[in-house]
Amino acid sequence: MSQQQVLEKLKKYADFSQGGNGSYKAKKDDATITIHTNGKVQIQGKNKEKIEQEINEILGREEIYENNKQLFIVYGHDKIAKEQLEYILQKLDIQTAQITNNTGMTIIEALEKETSRVHAGIILLTPDDISLSKKDYEAHKDNIEGYIHARARQNVILEMGMIMAKLGRKNTIILSKGEVETPSDIDGIFRLQFKENPKEILKKLVERLEECGFVIDKENVFKAMD
């Protein structure tokens, strides 16, 4: 069924208007209904199951599009930055997954298990460690100030590489807090940098999430700004 056919069948059910990316949107009972260009229907918000059932009855089918895409978060020791990011993603109505390793598996095994069911990943690079090359130390041991750099935890860098290998660069979003040293191999990969709170880059983050295939209600973007 095409988008216009679905729209015609649902026009008496809700008041649809043109949305972004060629979609049509409507509000009903504290939920957002989106009709995508391919004719798929997505429901977000309260009373989701009730509205899905009603729309299925109208359309005579069970093809409601579930936004089941999950986002994997890799983070270090900065729990505040992690919680700030989680708050934003929660307001954007995006499901997230993290490593919960209480099964006796190694971290790598747990990560491989999680990435098998996620669509995209966010790597949160925070200045948790400091680094100094042996060469710089030997040459400037009497005054090493200016040669010490902040960097992310090494396990975060390892997991970043695994995420990129598993999900691809297009589905990997790298966020860096402050001036944090990164491997030279990712210099050509697009990164979003913020100073204190990921809210500073909310607009660009939403754009990247949409590029990864997530459908984001614009009203939820305003909620994430609070």
Side-chain angles (χ1 to χ4, degrees), residues 1-3 6-7 10 13 16 24 32-44 48 51-52 55-56 59 61 63-67:
M1 196 177 297
S2 70
Q3 183 189 52
V6 174
L7 188 62
L10 296 180
Y13 180 75
F16 286 91
Y24 285 86
T32 300
I33 307 169
T34 304
I35 305 175
H36 296 283
T37 54
N38 59 3
K40 297 292 185 180
V41 180
Q42 177 189 3
I43 316 296
Q44 291 178 306
K48 177 180 176 181
I51 293 174
E52 284 181 351
I55 289 179
N56 274 328
L59 298 179
R61 64 180 190 178
E63 293 186 19
I64 297 296
Y65 174 70
E66 293 282 357
N67 191 17

Side-chain angles (χ1 to χ4, degrees), residues 187-218:
D187 284 347
I189 299 173
F190 185 74
R191 285 183 290 140
L192 298 175
Q193 187 174 14
F194 64 94
K195 292 182 179 179
E196 297 294 336
N197 192 313
K199 283 184 183 180
E200 300 164 21
I201 52 171
L202 179 60
K203 182 180 178 181
K204 291 183 178 180
L205 176 58
V206 168
E207 290 174 355
R208 281 290 289 114
L209 288 167
E210 289 177 332
E211 289 172 3
C212 290
F214 291 92
V215 179
I216 299 176
D217 189 325
K218 298 307 178 187

Side-chain angles (χ1 to χ4, degrees), residues 3 36 47 74 86 88 94 97 111 115 135 142 154 226:
Q3 183 189 52
H36 296 283
N47 302 310
V74 172
E86 288 177 329
I88 291 171
I94 292 179
L111 179 60
T115 54
K135 179 181 177 181
D142 294 331
Q154 288 185 307
D226 294 339

Side-chain angles (χ1 to χ4, degrees), residues 3 62 113 126 134 136 146 202 207:
Q3 183 189 52
E62 293 189 4
K113 179 181 177 181
T126 52
K134 183 177 180 180
D136 284 337
L202 179 60
E207 290 174 355

Side-chain angles (χ1 to χ4, degrees), residues 119-204:
H119 176 74
I122 284 186
I123 315 300
L124 182 57
L125 302 178
T126 52
D128 299 326
D129 293 348
I130 58 174
S131 66
L132 172 67
S133 71
K134 183 177 180 180
K135 179 181 177 181
D136 284 337
Y137 175 74
E138 293 294 342
H140 308 282
K141 63 176 65 177
D142 294 331
N143 184 15
I144 61 173
E145 186 176 352
Y147 297 93
I148 297 177
H149 305 282
R151 71 176 185 187
R153 299 287 297 167
Q154 288 185 307
N155 67 293
V156 172
I157 300 300
L158 171 62
E159 291 163 14
M160 176 174 65
M162 293 180 65
I163 290 287
M164 291 175 64
K166 181 75 174 180
L167 304 178
R169 289 188 298 174
K170 283 188 176 181
N171 291 324
T172 304
I173 302 171
I174 301 176
L175 307 183
S176 60
K177 179 178 179 179
E179 298 296 332
V180 57
E181 185 183 59
T182 56
S184 58
D185 288 348
I186 68 167
D187 284 347
I189 299 173
F190 185 74
R191 285 183 290 140
L192 298 175
Q193 187 174 14
F194 64 94
K195 292 182 179 179
E196 297 294 336
N197 192 313
K199 283 184 183 180
E200 300 164 21
I201 52 171
L202 179 60
K203 182 180 178 181
K204 291 183 178 180

Side-chain angles (χ1 to χ4, degrees), residues 18-85:
Q18 188 80 47
N21 299 321
S23 66
Y24 285 86
K25 290 181 178 288
K27 290 287 186 181
K28 188 176 180 68
D29 298 337
D30 295 320
T32 300
I33 307 169
T34 304
I35 305 175
H36 296 283
T37 54
N38 59 3
K40 297 292 185 180
V41 180
Q42 177 189 3
I43 316 296
Q44 291 178 306
K46 296 180 180 179
N47 302 310
K48 177 180 176 181
E49 293 182 1
K50 170 180 173 290
I51 293 174
E52 284 181 351
Q53 183 177 355
E54 292 173 350
I55 289 179
N56 274 328
E57 290 175 359
I58 295 171
L59 298 179
R61 64 180 190 178
E62 293 189 4
E63 293 186 19
I64 297 296
Y65 174 70
E66 293 282 357
N67 191 17
N68 284 331
K69 291 185 173 69
Q70 285 201 39
L71 185 72
F72 191 85
I73 304 176
V74 172
Y75 60 92
H77 284 177
D78 192 332
K79 298 299 171 55
I80 293 177
K82 169 185 170 267
E83 289 171 0
Q84 291 168 338
L85 176 60

